[in-house]
Amino acid sequence: MALLVNCRGVAKSFGAAPLFENVSLTVAEGDRLGLIGPNGSGKTTLLKILAGTEEPDTGERSVRKMVKLGYVPQDSVFAPGRTVRQVLEDASGDHEELEARLNTTLGAAGLTNYWNTDASTLSGGWRKRVAVAEALIGHPDVLLLDEPTNHLDLAGILWLEKLLADSAFACVVVSHDRYFLENVTTSMAELSRQYPDGIFRSDGAYSQFLEKRAAFLEAQQKLQTSLGIQVRREVEWLRRGAKARTSKSKARIDGAYRLMQELDDVSTRNKTGTATIDFAASERKTKKLIEAKNVRCDLGGRTLFTGLNVTLSPGVRLGVVGANGSGKTTLLRLLLGELEPTEGSVFRADNVQMVYFDQNRDQLDYGVPLREALAEHGDSVVYRGNVQHVAGWAKRFLFREEQLGVQVGRLSGGERARVLIARLMLREADVLLLDEPTNDLDIATLEVLEESLLDFPGALVLVTHDRYLLDRVSTTVAGIDGDGGVTLYADYAQWEQDMGSRRKPRAEKAPAAGKAEPAPAKKKLSYMEAREWEQIEARILEAEELLEAKRAEMQAPDVVSDGPRLQAVYAEMEQAQADVDGLYARWAELEAKQS
């Protein structure tokens, strides 16, 4: 398949700090590439370079002739006064099929009912749908999406998954949603300084990427150990008084210094850090921290939910799911005491301590420096009775000391989320109320957050669209159906199954008894097919070895820097992949015949 977009040797810095250096990335026809990396590694910047909205400091970006790009930024903002229809009209241009294209795009995005609505007044999830529709209406060859699942409800995420999985265009998706990546991507790339070329890419979905990354990092550790042994041997040789009198001795001395430099580079790359998240619990033993009895909540003349009965005790972790606007955040505010129920009652234990994570992060002042945001009353914080300097506290959340003077508004979305988590950790809590805490967090930080929530001894109420987090953390799931109902489920899968059964049309009438079609007779392998079956595993192994060799060749510096050769090797790699896929398909066909 032909290359559509190619970035070669690109680098970008902000001030004196480099985001990434000498990174190369290609997007070809049919690619569905997931892009991940630590917060602040430059994922959004690299996506903007691919989109052509930002220029690299060095390196080059090339786009195949006539290729159209669609770009959906992380924050979907529209000018006030522009309806959804007008937004899409502006994006589509003036052509004869405008009306048909508008209707098709609005329908595909579920926006038909919002035709004449001011786009700027929509909720975050619906604005995201408009932004995706705005990019789609121009029929892009490549769609670039930056954290597209942020603010989307679960129904919206499922819609986007299906849209991308069924699409004919290529796409690059920056996301932290692990289930979304698993269901959508055909290849993965991670942008990080721990890789020799600044980026690591592999074919396959997210789960396959994790396996290949683990193998690569293990090889890097072994390389570091091997280099360490070689360097110690060369250092010992140098200490014995090696003289650079002969060309052979001089070459060995030069080689020793090169080994030292290589060891230093590998050691630096292998040093990775993760945020340390540990919410301070009050260790309160009260059995009932919060209890909601027959709670009904009306808002704006509409019943959001009714008949809610839930008890929050230490160890209870309640996940809350539902469509955008169904009342998830309202439920948190009811439990917090900011709102009163229309009917029913909410009991709170005496002096119960609650910590609230606001999805809009309104608790943060974007105009103050990071130092002040982390430590409001000086240069230190008190965490669990111990005084810590703000620089050490910042380091716990992966901030560098030179970032302490940076305004909060200039930090990335994930970095701002870590600031808010750092502030909340300073408060003891009986109950954690978390409203979309995962937005913008990188996957490494998400994993640490999960462990912290699992270890938290108090009660937890978690509103999130991250299905992986819900499955791993919650002990019960409250599903708000958007029609006034709220039901408790054992897990997210049970909620999804219930919602699916409600949407399903009535099943077709089953055939009358005794009229069932006879099962087809099992086929047996012919002589030639039996011979083919005996040899197919060896052929698959051989084809996979060739494919791996072509993948390795694609990463070679002399190939990456040579455009025509890169194109040729890429075509060979695509053919090798097609051969492997064909062999696996044939294997499945033969296996089915003899089963």
Side-chain angles (χ1 to χ4, degrees):
M1 295 184 183
L3 291 178
L4 302 177
V5 187
N6 181 24
C7 281
R8 188 170 62 192
V10 297
K12 190 70 178 181
S13 299
F14 285 104
L19 275 179
F20 49 80
E21 298 176 292
N22 198 33
V23 166
S24 297
L25 187 66
T26 60
V27 183
E29 291 177 346
D31 276 351
R32 295 201 301 273
L33 172 65
L35 181 61
I36 63 174
N39 290 140
S41 60
K43 301 183 296 295
T44 293
T45 301
L46 181 57
L47 202 67
K48 287 179 178 178
I49 291 173
L50 285 170
T53 61
E54 192 158 319
E55 291 294 325
D57 295 337
T58 59
E60 59 184 49
R61 163 190 174 270
S62 58
V63 181
R64 187 181 173 189
K65 286 184 180 179
M66 307 299 291
V67 164
K68 291 186 288 186
L69 302 175
Y71 173 55
V72 181
Q74 193 170 138
D75 297 315
S76 305
V77 180
F78 301 99
R82 307 291 293 169
T83 66
V84 171
R85 177 188 173 95
Q86 288 170 329
V87 168
L88 298 186
E89 283 177 342
D90 292 344
S92 64
D94 185 19
H95 51 79
E96 296 177 358
E97 299 177 357
L98 174 62
E99 204 66 29
R101 184 176 289 190
L102 279 173
N103 286 323
T104 301
T105 305
L106 284 166
L111 292 164
T112 307
N113 295 333
Y114 297 95
W115 182 275
N116 295 312
T117 305
D118 185 335
S120 67
T121 65
L122 293 172
S123 68
W126 285 107
R127 286 202 309 273
K128 184 68 73 176
R129 288 194 186 221
V130 174
V132 173
E134 183 183 22
L136 287 177
I137 200 166
H139 290 312
D141 300 295
V142 182
L143 184 61
L144 308 168
L145 304 110
D146 193 359
E147 296 289 4
T149 62
N150 279 3
H151 307 298
L152 281 179
D153 56 20
L154 293 167
I157 293 173
L158 294 174
W159 159 75
L160 186 59
E161 279 184 2
K162 187 174 188 310
L163 172 74
L164 297 180
D166 296 344
S167 66
F169 52 78
C171 67
V172 181
V173 182
V174 172
S175 180
H176 62 269
D177 188 321
R178 289 155 286 185
Y179 279 172
F180 180 80
L181 292 170
E182 180 69 18
N183 294 336
V184 167
T185 61
T186 57
S187 61
M188 289 290 307
E190 183 172 29
L191 188 64
S192 175
R193 296 178 186 176
Q194 65 182 319
Y195 303 118
D197 298 321
I199 195 167
F200 176 75
R201 180 171 181 173
S202 72
D203 291 334
Y206 178 67
S207 55
Q208 295 169 287
F209 166 80
L210 291 179
E211 295 174 0
K212 294 175 182 178
R213 181 181 67 176
F216 175 84
L217 294 178
E218 182 181 357
Q220 287 288 288
Q221 289 292 343
K222 289 180 179 178
L223 175 61
Q224 181 177 344
T225 301
S226 174
L227 286 171
I229 294 171
Q230 294 179 62
V231 166
R232 283 194 294 274
R233 185 176 63 239
E234 295 303 298
V235 167
E236 183 60 31
W237 176 73
L238 289 169
R239 282 176 179 165
R240 290 200 301 266
K243 306 291 184 182
R245 291 176 181 171
T246 66
S247 57
K248 186 175 181 180
S249 296
K250 187 176 185 302
R252 183 168 179 180
I253 292 171
D254 292 342
Y257 285 117
R258 282 196 299 272
L259 278 174
M260 293 176 193
Q261 183 59 53
E262 187 177 354
L263 175 60
D264 183 62
D265 291 343
V266 173
S267 302
T268 301
R269 289 198 303 270
N270 286 346
K271 287 179 183 175
T272 58
T274 55
T276 308
I277 299 174
D278 188 7
F279 289 102
S282 65
E283 306 296 341
R284 185 169 180 155
K285 302 301 180 185
T286 307
K287 288 186 178 180
K288 289 184 180 179
L289 298 171
I290 301 178
E291 184 178 28
K293 285 186 175 181
N294 297 317
V295 167
R296 170 183 162 189
C297 180
D298 295 347
L299 205 62
R302 171 176 161 238
T303 298
L304 294 179
F305 48 83
T306 187
L308 172 66
N309 291 282
V310 66
T311 299
L312 298 178
S313 305
V316 171
R317 298 190 295 272
L318 177 68
V320 182
V321 296
N324 286 338
S326 61
K328 302 187 295 295
T329 297
T330 302
L331 173 57
L332 290 186
R333 294 177 65 197
L334 274 172
L335 298 175
L336 191 62
E338 290 184 355
L339 294 175
E340 290 298 323
T342 308
E343 290 181 5
S345 61
V346 178
F347 163 81
R348 301 176 191 85
D350 293 338
N351 301 314
V352 65
Q353 299 179 68
M354 292 181 279
V355 165
Y356 177 49
F357 184 104
D358 171 23
Q359 68 164 309
N360 297 318
R361 298 164 196 168
D362 291 336
Q363 297 124 307
L364 293 179
D365 183 348
Y366 286 9
V368 303
L370 175 61
R371 175 184 286 102
E372 186 176 334
L374 292 173
E376 294 181 271
H377 307 295
D379 286 335
S380 60
V381 300
V382 179
Y383 176 63
R384 296 189 172 182
N386 297 316
V387 177
Q388 291 190 31
H389 190 270
V390 65
W393 185 244
K395 187 176 180 181
R396 181 179 181 130
F397 299 93
L398 303 184
F399 293 110
R400 303 182 304 276
E401 191 167 352
E402 58 266 29
Q403 288 182 281
L404 291 175
V406 175
Q407 283 189 341
V408 172
R410 295 183 58 193
L411 299 175
S412 70
E415 288 171 328
R416 290 199 292 267
R418 294 207 305 264
V419 173
L420 186 52
I421 290 173
R423 287 162 60 97
L424 297 181
M425 276 176 52
L426 296 176
R427 298 168 52 190
E428 285 192 346
D430 302 307
V431 182
L432 293 178
L433 303 170
L434 307 182
D435 193 0
E436 299 290 5
T438 66
N439 283 351
D440 305 314
L441 288 179
D442 59 46
I443 291 174
T445 306
L446 277 176
E447 291 169 348
V448 177
L449 176 63
E450 286 162 10
E451 295 297 334
S452 174
L453 297 180
L454 287 168
D455 292 340
F456 180 69
L460 165 69
V461 183
L462 174 66
V463 173
T464 182
H465 61 264
D466 189 317
R467 293 158 290 176
Y468 187 94
L469 183 68
L470 276 172
D471 282 344
R472 183 139 191 254
V473 170
S474 59
T475 56
T476 308
V477 171
I480 305 176
D481 62 18
D483 294 321
V486 57
T487 308
L488 298 183
Y489 299 88
D491 53 27
Y492 167 75
Q494 195 179 72
W495 147 264
E496 189 175 41
Q497 183 178 7
D498 188 20
M499 290 300 98
S501 65
R502 295 188 195 187
R503 290 190 293 266
K504 280 183 181 178
R506 183 177 297 175
E508 294 181 8
K509 189 177 179 181
K515 301 272 184 158
E517 290 289 329
K522 290 184 178 179
K523 299 178 182 178
K524 292 185 178 180
L525 298 182
S526 67
Y527 173 77
M528 293 302 295
E529 286 174 333
R531 291 286 305 273
E532 185 181 4
W533 171 254
E534 291 174 0
Q535 299 169 2
I536 198 164
E537 285 193 44
R539 291 174 62 197
I540 288 175
L541 181 61
E542 184 180 342
E544 286 185 330
E545 287 175 351
L546 177 61
L547 177 59
E548 287 302 317
K550 292 301 176 184
R551 286 172 178 163
E553 191 175 357
M554 275 284 293
Q555 302 296 325
D558 58 330
V559 173
V560 172
S561 60
D562 186 339
R565 188 177 173 194
L566 178 65
Q567 186 81 32
V569 173
Y570 186 85
E572 293 169 2
M573 186 185 74
E574 287 293 302
Q575 182 57 53
Q577 180 69 64
D579 292 344
V580 170
D581 294 341
L583 284 169
Y584 271 114
R586 180 59 175 161
W587 187 13
E589 183 182 342
L590 293 173
E591 188 175 39
K593 278 191 174 185
Q594 65 174 359
S595 60

